[in-house]
Amino acid sequence: MKRLKDCDVINKDIMDLVIPDEKVALVQTNNPLEHALLVLVKSGYSAIPVLDTNNKLQGIVSKTMILNHIFGVERIEFEKLSEYKVKDVMKGDIPLVNPNDSFLTVMKLAINEPFLCVVDHEGYFKGILPRSALLKFLNHFLRDLSHDVLPAK
Ligand code: AMP
């Protein structure tokens, strides 16, 4: 059986699994909440990255963050959708991935996140790494490995 340290999975370039920035649905900090809600609903994603005007990552925004912000005590305050901006509700404290990070580093981070944001050393947004892409790769790897070590039926 191959030793894990020699296997492709340990040396996998995580950028092979990244959805590049130009294919990612995203919003900017200064966008009104109604625009962010539209992008979230139309894209079908529950959360998406937030950039500043220089394409630097600032955090993520989700449908839940927006809805929590507009729920009043007695009614849904729809007017807040145009009054407030993404920066008022977004979450800025998120784990960041660097293009040089190892597969094992990002696997650990992905335990608690459906997707990870990838930034370069200056904070410029490079894309996202969905947990599903990591699991898909691992699934292929483990299936290949099981063919190598288990007797054929
Ligand atoms: P998935 O594993 O493909 O369901 O993606 C998990 C999460 O990653 C989604 O719920 C979104 O929050 C985010 N995501 C995946 N693909 C994109 C994309 N192209 N643009 C923005 N967010 C995405």
Side-chain angles (χ1 to χ4, degrees), residues 28-110:
Q28 291 193 339
T29 44
N30 281 329
N31 289 148
L33 292 187
E34 60 190 353
H35 174 74
L37 193 56
L38 191 78
V39 175
L40 282 160
V41 171
K42 289 286 179 193
S43 66
Y45 298 127
S46 46
I48 51 176
V50 180
L51 307 188
D52 65 13
T53 49
N54 295 317
N55 281 340
K56 288 193 173 183
L57 185 77
Q58 299 299 314
I60 59 170
V61 68
S62 69
K63 286 174 191 153
T64 307
M65 289 172 206
I66 295 174
L67 292 176
N68 272 336
H69 199 75
I70 66 170
F71 281 165
V73 181
E74 306 244 309
R75 65 179 189 90
I76 300 175
E77 296 164 353
F78 286 108
E79 63 279 7
K80 284 187 173 174
L81 287 174
S82 55
E83 289 170 10
Y84 287 89
K85 299 191 180 225
V86 169
K87 64 182 172 201
D88 300 318
V89 307
M90 64 176 228
K91 182 181 173 195
D93 182 20
I94 56 167
L96 299 178
V97 167
N98 183 273
N100 298 321
D101 281 346
S102 72
F103 186 81
L104 288 184
T105 299
V106 297
M107 272 303 292
K108 190 173 178 191
L109 289 174

Side-chain angles (χ1 to χ4, degrees), residues 19-26 39-40 43-49 60-61 113-116 125 128-133:
I19 300 176
D21 54 340
E22 68 268 16
K23 291 191 179 154
V24 175
L26 37 83
V39 175
L40 282 160
S43 66
Y45 298 127
S46 46
I48 51 176
I60 59 170
V61 68
E113 311 289 336
F115 71 96
L116 296 162
F125 181 64
I128 61 164
L129 187 49
R131 181 164 58 201
S132 59

Side-chain angles (χ1 to χ4, degrees), residues 11-27:
N11 301 318
K12 179 72 180 168
D13 182 352
I14 59 152
M15 291 309 281
D16 293 345
L17 306 173
V18 164
I19 300 176
D21 54 340
E22 68 268 16
K23 291 191 179 154
V24 175
L26 37 83
V27 289

